[in-house]
Short mmCIF file of all heavy atoms in Angstrom, two decimals:
data_model
loop_
_atom_site.label_atom_id
_atom_site.label_comp_id
_atom_site.label_asym_id
_atom_site.label_seq_id
_atom_site.Cartn_x
_atom_site.Cartn_y
_atom_site.Cartn_z
N ALA A 267 22.24 119.92 112.03
CA ALA A 267 21.88 121.35 112.03
C ALA A 267 23.14 122.20 112.15
O ALA A 267 23.27 123.23 111.47
CB ALA A 267 20.91 121.65 113.16
N ASN A 268 24.07 121.80 113.00
CA ASN A 268 25.33 122.55 113.15
C ASN A 268 26.17 122.45 111.88
O ASN A 268 26.82 123.42 111.48
CB ASN A 268 26.13 122.04 114.34
CG ASN A 268 25.46 122.35 115.66
OD1 ASN A 268 24.57 123.19 115.74
ND2 ASN A 268 25.87 121.66 116.70
N LEU A 269 26.17 121.28 111.26
CA LEU A 269 26.88 121.10 109.99
C LEU A 269 26.27 122.01 108.92
O LEU A 269 26.99 122.63 108.13
CB LEU A 269 26.83 119.64 109.58
CG LEU A 269 27.67 119.19 108.40
CD1 LEU A 269 29.15 119.48 108.62
CD2 LEU A 269 27.48 117.70 108.16
N SER A 270 24.96 122.12 108.91
CA SER A 270 24.28 123.00 107.95
C SER A 270 24.69 124.45 108.14
O SER A 270 24.94 125.16 107.17
CB SER A 270 22.76 122.89 108.11
OG SER A 270 22.32 121.62 107.78
N VAL A 271 24.74 124.89 109.39
CA VAL A 271 25.13 126.28 109.67
C VAL A 271 26.56 126.53 109.21
O VAL A 271 26.84 127.53 108.54
CB VAL A 271 24.97 126.61 111.18
CG1 VAL A 271 25.61 127.94 111.52
CG2 VAL A 271 23.50 126.59 111.58
N LEU A 272 27.46 125.61 109.52
CA LEU A 272 28.86 125.75 109.12
C LEU A 272 28.98 125.84 107.60
O LEU A 272 29.65 126.72 107.06
CB LEU A 272 29.68 124.58 109.65
CG LEU A 272 31.12 124.49 109.17
CD1 LEU A 272 31.94 125.64 109.73
CD2 LEU A 272 31.74 123.16 109.55
N LEU A 273 28.34 124.91 106.90
CA LEU A 273 28.42 124.90 105.44
C LEU A 273 27.74 126.12 104.83
O LEU A 273 28.21 126.65 103.83
CB LEU A 273 27.84 123.60 104.88
CG LEU A 273 28.62 122.34 105.24
CD1 LEU A 273 27.86 121.09 104.81
CD2 LEU A 273 30.01 122.36 104.63
N SER A 274 26.66 126.58 105.42
CA SER A 274 25.97 127.78 104.93
C SER A 274 26.89 128.99 105.02
O SER A 274 26.95 129.80 104.08
CB SER A 274 24.70 128.06 105.74
OG SER A 274 23.77 127.04 105.58
N ARG A 275 27.59 129.11 106.11
CA ARG A 275 28.52 130.24 106.28
C ARG A 275 29.65 130.16 105.27
O ARG A 275 30.04 131.16 104.68
CB ARG A 275 29.08 130.25 107.70
CG ARG A 275 28.08 130.67 108.73
CD ARG A 275 28.68 130.69 110.10
NE ARG A 275 27.67 131.02 111.09
CZ ARG A 275 27.77 130.73 112.37
NH1 ARG A 275 28.85 130.12 112.83
NH2 ARG A 275 26.81 131.05 113.20
N ARG A 276 30.20 128.96 105.09
CA ARG A 276 31.30 128.80 104.14
C ARG A 276 30.86 129.08 102.70
O ARG A 276 31.62 129.60 101.91
CB ARG A 276 31.88 127.39 104.22
CG ARG A 276 32.69 127.16 105.47
CD ARG A 276 33.33 125.80 105.44
NE ARG A 276 34.09 125.56 106.65
CZ ARG A 276 34.66 124.41 106.95
NH1 ARG A 276 34.55 123.39 106.11
NH2 ARG A 276 35.34 124.26 108.06
N GLU A 277 29.64 128.70 102.38
CA GLU A 277 29.14 128.87 101.02
C GLU A 277 28.49 130.23 100.81
O GLU A 277 28.16 130.59 99.68
CB GLU A 277 28.12 127.77 100.69
CG GLU A 277 28.71 126.38 100.69
CD GLU A 277 27.65 125.31 100.52
OE1 GLU A 277 26.52 125.62 100.10
OE2 GLU A 277 27.98 124.14 100.80
N GLY A 278 28.29 130.98 101.90
CA GLY A 278 27.62 132.27 101.78
C GLY A 278 26.16 132.13 101.39
O GLY A 278 25.60 132.99 100.72
N ALA A 279 25.56 131.01 101.78
CA ALA A 279 24.15 130.76 101.44
C ALA A 279 23.26 131.73 102.20
O ALA A 279 23.38 131.86 103.42
CB ALA A 279 23.78 129.33 101.76
N PRO A 280 22.36 132.41 101.49
CA PRO A 280 21.49 133.37 102.18
C PRO A 280 20.43 132.70 103.05
O PRO A 280 19.94 133.32 103.98
CB PRO A 280 20.83 134.13 101.02
CG PRO A 280 20.91 133.21 99.86
CD PRO A 280 22.13 132.36 100.07
N ARG A 281 20.11 131.44 102.75
CA ARG A 281 19.07 130.74 103.51
C ARG A 281 19.59 129.37 103.95
O ARG A 281 19.55 128.41 103.20
CB ARG A 281 17.82 130.60 102.66
CG ARG A 281 17.23 131.97 102.31
CD ARG A 281 16.03 131.92 101.42
NE ARG A 281 15.04 130.96 101.86
CZ ARG A 281 14.15 130.43 101.05
NH1 ARG A 281 14.11 130.76 99.79
NH2 ARG A 281 13.28 129.56 101.49
N PRO A 282 20.07 129.26 105.19
CA PRO A 282 20.62 127.99 105.67
C PRO A 282 19.65 126.82 105.60
O PRO A 282 20.07 125.68 105.48
CB PRO A 282 21.00 128.29 107.13
CG PRO A 282 21.13 129.76 107.20
CD PRO A 282 20.20 130.33 106.17
N GLU A 283 18.34 127.08 105.63
CA GLU A 283 17.38 125.98 105.58
C GLU A 283 17.44 125.23 104.25
O GLU A 283 17.14 124.05 104.19
CB GLU A 283 15.95 126.46 105.87
CG GLU A 283 15.39 127.45 104.89
CD GLU A 283 15.70 128.92 105.20
OE1 GLU A 283 16.52 129.20 106.09
OE2 GLU A 283 15.11 129.77 104.54
N ILE A 284 17.88 125.91 103.19
CA ILE A 284 18.06 125.23 101.90
C ILE A 284 19.21 124.24 101.99
O ILE A 284 19.12 123.12 101.50
CB ILE A 284 18.28 126.25 100.77
CG1 ILE A 284 17.01 127.08 100.57
CG2 ILE A 284 18.70 125.56 99.48
CD1 ILE A 284 17.16 128.24 99.63
#
Side-chain angles (χ1 to χ4, degrees):
N268 292 343
L269 189 58
S270 295
V271 170
L272 173 67
L273 294 172
S274 296
R275 288 181 184 159
R276 287 185 181 174
E277 296 174 17
R281 297 177 47 203
E283 63 272 11
I284 293 172

